[in-house]
PDB file of all heavy atoms in Angstrom:
ATOM      1  N   ARG A  97     -13.417  -5.055  -6.073  1.00 96.00           N
ATOM      2  CA  ARG A  97     -12.066  -5.546  -6.361  1.00 96.00           C
ATOM      3  C   ARG A  97     -12.196  -6.622  -7.433  1.00 96.00           C
ATOM      4  O   ARG A  97     -13.172  -7.388  -7.430  1.00 96.00           O
ATOM      5  CB  ARG A  97     -11.434  -6.195  -5.132  1.00 96.00           C
ATOM      6  CG  ARG A  97     -11.140  -5.257  -3.991  1.00 96.00           C
ATOM      7  CD  ARG A  97      -9.861  -4.486  -4.216  1.00 96.00           C
ATOM      8  NE  ARG A  97      -9.456  -3.793  -3.009  1.00 96.00           N
ATOM      9  CZ  ARG A  97      -9.047  -2.546  -2.984  1.00 96.00           C
ATOM     10  NH1 ARG A  97      -8.995  -1.819  -4.087  1.00 96.00           N
ATOM     11  NH2 ARG A  97      -8.669  -1.992  -1.854  1.00 96.00           N
ATOM     12  N   ARG A 126     -13.717  -3.573   7.538  1.00 98.00           N
ATOM     13  CA  ARG A 126     -13.362  -2.144   7.491  1.00 98.00           C
ATOM     14  C   ARG A 126     -13.858  -1.441   8.759  1.00 98.00           C
ATOM     15  O   ARG A 126     -13.159  -0.626   9.350  1.00 98.00           O
ATOM     16  CB  ARG A 126     -13.944  -1.466   6.227  1.00 98.00           C
ATOM     17  CG  ARG A 126     -13.140  -1.749   4.957  1.00 98.00           C
ATOM     18  CD  ARG A 126     -13.548  -0.831   3.823  1.00 98.00           C
ATOM     19  NE  ARG A 126     -13.241   0.557   4.080  1.00 98.00           N
ATOM     20  CZ  ARG A 126     -12.147   1.194   3.661  1.00 98.00           C
ATOM     21  NH1 ARG A 126     -11.252   0.565   2.931  1.00 98.00           N
ATOM     22  NH2 ARG A 126     -11.962   2.460   3.962  1.00 98.00           N
ATOM     23  N   GLY A 295      -0.944  -5.100   5.926  1.00 89.00           N
ATOM     24  CA  GLY A 295      -1.024  -3.783   5.264  1.00 89.00           C
ATOM     25  C   GLY A 295      -0.046  -2.802   5.867  1.00 89.00           C
ATOM     26  O   GLY A 295       0.397  -1.869   5.203  1.00 89.00           O
ATOM     27  N   HIS A 366      -9.557  -1.204  -8.458  1.00 97.00           N
ATOM     28  CA  HIS A 366     -10.984  -1.212  -8.081  1.00 97.00           C
ATOM     29  C   HIS A 366     -11.746  -1.839  -9.255  1.00 97.00           C
ATOM     30  O   HIS A 366     -11.181  -2.013 -10.342  1.00 97.00           O
ATOM     31  CB  HIS A 366     -11.500   0.214  -7.911  1.00 97.00           C
ATOM     32  CG  HIS A 366     -10.989   0.934  -6.692  1.00 97.00           C
ATOM     33  ND1 HIS A 366     -11.789   1.726  -5.910  1.00 97.00           N
ATOM     34  CD2 HIS A 366      -9.751   1.013  -6.122  1.00 97.00           C
ATOM     35  CE1 HIS A 366     -11.087   2.248  -4.919  1.00 97.00           C
ATOM     36  NE2 HIS A 366      -9.830   1.840  -5.031  1.00 97.00           N
ATOM     37  N   PHE A 429      -2.563   7.007  -0.669  1.00 98.00           N
ATOM     38  CA  PHE A 429      -3.230   6.059   0.227  1.00 98.00           C
ATOM     39  C   PHE A 429      -4.582   5.579  -0.297  1.00 98.00           C
ATOM     40  O   PHE A 429      -5.396   5.058   0.457  1.00 98.00           O
ATOM     41  CB  PHE A 429      -3.368   6.657   1.628  1.00 98.00           C
ATOM     42  CG  PHE A 429      -2.055   6.727   2.364  1.00 98.00           C
ATOM     43  CD1 PHE A 429      -1.199   7.812   2.201  1.00 98.00           C
ATOM     44  CD2 PHE A 429      -1.663   5.705   3.206  1.00 98.00           C
ATOM     45  CE1 PHE A 429       0.013   7.871   2.856  1.00 98.00           C
ATOM     46  CE2 PHE A 429      -0.449   5.754   3.877  1.00 98.00           C
ATOM     47  CZ  PHE A 429       0.399   6.845   3.708  1.00 98.00           C
ATOM     48  N   PHE A 431      -8.341   5.482  -2.643  1.00 98.00           N
ATOM     49  CA  PHE A 431      -9.477   6.336  -3.010  1.00 98.00           C
ATOM     50  C   PHE A 431     -10.835   5.761  -2.606  1.00 98.00           C
ATOM     51  O   PHE A 431     -10.997   4.543  -2.509  1.00 98.00           O
ATOM     52  CB  PHE A 431      -9.470   6.537  -4.526  1.00 98.00           C
ATOM     53  CG  PHE A 431      -8.140   7.008  -5.036  1.00 98.00           C
ATOM     54  CD1 PHE A 431      -7.219   6.116  -5.551  1.00 98.00           C
ATOM     55  CD2 PHE A 431      -7.788   8.354  -4.948  1.00 98.00           C
ATOM     56  CE1 PHE A 431      -5.975   6.541  -6.003  1.00 98.00           C
ATOM     57  CE2 PHE A 431      -6.544   8.793  -5.389  1.00 98.00           C
ATOM     58  CZ  PHE A 431      -5.641   7.877  -5.924  1.00 98.00           C
ATOM     59  N   ARG A 434     -12.498   2.525  -0.599  1.00 98.00           N
ATOM     60  CA  ARG A 434     -11.444   1.563  -0.278  1.00 98.00           C
ATOM     61  C   ARG A 434     -10.180   2.247   0.234  1.00 98.00           C
ATOM     62  O   ARG A 434      -9.122   1.617   0.304  1.00 98.00           O
ATOM     63  CB  ARG A 434     -11.102   0.716  -1.511  1.00 98.00           C
ATOM     64  CG  ARG A 434     -12.253  -0.034  -2.124  1.00 98.00           C
ATOM     65  CD  ARG A 434     -13.056  -0.849  -1.149  1.00 98.00           C
ATOM     66  NE  ARG A 434     -12.376  -1.977  -0.573  1.00 98.00           N
ATOM     67  CZ  ARG A 434     -12.556  -3.247  -0.944  1.00 98.00           C
ATOM     68  NH1 ARG A 434     -13.396  -3.524  -1.924  1.00 98.00           N
ATOM     69  NH2 ARG A 434     -11.933  -4.228  -0.333  1.00 98.00           N
ATOM     70  N   CYS A 436      -7.092   3.619   2.255  1.00 97.00           N
ATOM     71  CA  CYS A 436      -6.284   2.917   3.253  1.00 97.00           C
ATOM     72  C   CYS A 436      -6.789   3.220   4.669  1.00 97.00           C
ATOM     73  O   CYS A 436      -7.077   4.364   5.006  1.00 97.00           O
ATOM     74  CB  CYS A 436      -4.827   3.377   3.133  1.00 97.00           C
ATOM     75  SG  CYS A 436      -3.755   2.728   4.412  1.00 97.00           S
TER      76      CYS A 436
HETATM   77  C1  HEM B 601       3.133   4.073   3.716  1.00 79.05           C
HETATM   78  C2  HEM B 601       2.235   3.238   4.169  1.00 79.05           C
HETATM   79  C3  HEM B 601       0.973   2.816   3.445  1.00 79.05           C
HETATM   80  C4  HEM B 601       0.578   3.046   2.159  1.00 79.05           C
HETATM   81  C5  HEM B 601       1.300   3.836   1.072  1.00 79.05           C
HETATM   82  C6  HEM B 601      -0.715   2.403   1.996  1.00 79.05           C
HETATM   83  C7  HEM B 601      -1.460   2.434   0.836  1.00 79.05           C
HETATM   84  C8  HEM B 601      -2.660   1.763   0.662  1.00 79.05           C
HETATM   85  C9  HEM B 601      -3.397   1.725  -0.571  1.00 79.05           C
HETATM   86  C10 HEM B 601      -2.997   2.408  -1.865  1.00 79.05           C
HETATM   87  C11 HEM B 601      -4.503   0.964  -0.358  1.00 79.05           C
HETATM   88  C12 HEM B 601      -5.584   0.623  -1.386  1.00 79.05           C
HETATM   89  C13 HEM B 601      -6.599   1.752  -1.461  1.00 79.05           C
HETATM   90  C14 HEM B 601      -7.559   1.629  -2.615  1.00 79.05           C
HETATM   91  O1  HEM B 601      -7.964   0.525  -2.955  1.00 79.05           O
HETATM   92  O2  HEM B 601      -7.914   2.650  -3.224  1.00 79.05           O
HETATM   93  C15 HEM B 601      -4.466   0.518   1.020  1.00 79.05           C
HETATM   94  C16 HEM B 601      -5.423  -0.281   1.602  1.00 79.05           C
HETATM   95  C17 HEM B 601      -5.362  -0.713   2.893  1.00 79.05           C
HETATM   96  N1  HEM B 601      -4.424  -0.361   3.840  1.00 79.05           N
HETATM   97 FE1  HEM B 601      -2.810   0.796   3.548  1.00 79.05          FE
HETATM   98  N2  HEM B 601      -1.067   1.803   3.178  1.00 79.05           N
HETATM   99  C18 HEM B 601      -0.069   2.040   4.095  1.00 79.05           C
HETATM  100  C19 HEM B 601      -0.047   1.635   5.418  1.00 79.05           C
HETATM  101  C20 HEM B 601      -1.047   0.940   6.044  1.00 79.05           C
HETATM  102  C21 HEM B 601      -1.077   0.611   7.456  1.00 79.05           C
HETATM  103  C22 HEM B 601      -0.048   1.061   8.492  1.00 79.05           C
HETATM  104  C23 HEM B 601      -2.203  -0.148   7.666  1.00 79.05           C
HETATM  105  C24 HEM B 601      -2.737  -0.736   8.942  1.00 79.05           C
HETATM  106  C25 HEM B 601      -2.570  -0.306  10.117  1.00 79.05           C
HETATM  107  C26 HEM B 601      -2.883  -0.278   6.399  1.00 79.05           C
HETATM  108  C27 HEM B 601      -4.051  -0.968   6.212  1.00 79.05           C
HETATM  109  C28 HEM B 601      -4.736  -1.025   5.011  1.00 79.05           C
HETATM  110  C29 HEM B 601      -5.925  -1.835   4.812  1.00 79.05           C
HETATM  111  C30 HEM B 601      -6.609  -2.713   5.856  1.00 79.05           C
HETATM  112  C31 HEM B 601      -6.331  -1.642   3.478  1.00 79.05           C
HETATM  113  C32 HEM B 601      -7.496  -2.310   2.760  1.00 79.05           C
HETATM  114  C33 HEM B 601      -8.649  -1.367   2.512  1.00 79.05           C
HETATM  115  C34 HEM B 601      -9.716  -2.003   1.610  1.00 79.05           C
HETATM  116  O3  HEM B 601      -9.392  -2.799   0.745  1.00 79.05           O
HETATM  117  O4  HEM B 601     -10.886  -1.673   1.780  1.00 79.05           O
HETATM  118  N3  HEM B 601      -2.155   0.401   5.435  1.00 79.05           N
HETATM  119  N4  HEM B 601      -3.325   1.031   1.625  1.00 79.05           N
END
Side-chain angles (χ1 to χ4, degrees):
R97 293 280 191 225
R126 282 193 65 96
H366 289 221
F429 288 86
F431 308 97
R434 303 309 292 257
C436 174

